[in-house]
Amino acid sequence: MRDEQLKYVLERIDLDECEEVVGNHIYYIRKAIRQRYDKYDKGYGYTTDEYEFLVIAQNSEKQGIILRCGYGDLHWYILKKWREKGVLSNALRTGIIRKVWPENVKITCCYNFCDNREQKYNMTKHLADIAGLHLEN
């Protein structure tokens, strides 16, 4: 799921429908998400799959989201307003990944075209260490 999609999902999640995992901080939800995909015949179709998310929020204000990508990876997105304020680091320091998804022991670093690869790798390594996860190359 791309960053734009995660932002869209985050904006539409109702915290009242989530399970509060860490008081006034982290919420869990399993949600069916409809996504468009390209077909081989140049058309497109839609699929609906169920995904697991952790929502980072304080005082009912959503700050970010973590998507579980199976047992082998996570994808996170922090709203621009909350970036560089320790929102994701603080959430990961709670041990939430091991608590909610103990099977997830590793992550990978995915790059966008415009990313500074070294900087993104170092940040992902830092976050993996905080979460107690192994970063695969």
Side-chain angles (χ1 to χ4, degrees):
M1 207 175 283
R2 295 185 326 260
D3 286 351
E4 298 82 24
Q5 292 168 300
L6 274 178
K7 180 182 180 204
Y8 181 85
V9 170
L10 176 61
E11 290 170 344
R12 280 148 188 81
I13 287 177
D14 181 350
L15 291 177
D16 291 333
E17 297 175 2
C18 299
E19 174 188 342
E20 188 176 49
V21 185
V22 176
N24 191 34
H25 190 202
I26 303 173
Y27 302 80
Y28 171 86
I29 189 167
R30 178 177 282 228
K31 189 167 182 65
I33 304 294
R34 184 174 184 237
Q35 295 186 79
R36 187 172 121 165
Y37 66 91
D38 294 325
K39 291 183 176 180
Y40 292 110
D41 66 358
K42 300 183 182 177
Y44 61 88
Y46 289 93
T47 183
T48 301
D49 295 305
E50 196 166 79
Y51 294 93
E52 293 179 81
F53 300 94
L54 293 173
V55 178
I56 304 166
Q58 212 161 25
N59 301 321
S60 298
E61 186 173 2
K62 294 177 275 188
Q63 300 170 331
I65 191 167
I66 301 172
L67 164 65
R68 182 182 194 192
C69 303
Y71 300 124
D73 210 359
L74 303 170
H75 184 175
W76 42 62
Y77 178 82
I78 303 300
L79 294 170
K80 285 185 182 183
K81 174 181 177 180
W82 296 103
R83 291 182 190 166
E84 298 183 19
K85 296 184 179 178
V87 168
L88 182 57
S89 298
N90 291 337
L92 295 174
R93 278 189 187 94
T94 67
I96 194 65
I97 303 303
R98 295 287 196 177
K99 179 179 178 180
V100 176
W101 302 315
E103 312 81 9
N104 286 69
V105 296
K106 63 184 179 176
I107 60 172
T108 59
C109 186
C110 295
Y111 304 98
N112 294 321
F113 178 74
C114 60
D115 286 336
N116 175 323
R117 293 176 73 87
E118 182 179 356
Q119 181 182 21
K120 184 151 186 192
Y121 177 86
N122 290 336
M123 177 55 70
T124 304
K125 173 76 171 121
H126 170 72
L127 294 168
D129 289 345
I130 289 171
L133 301 168
H134 172 72
L135 176 61
E136 286 194 339
N137 292 328

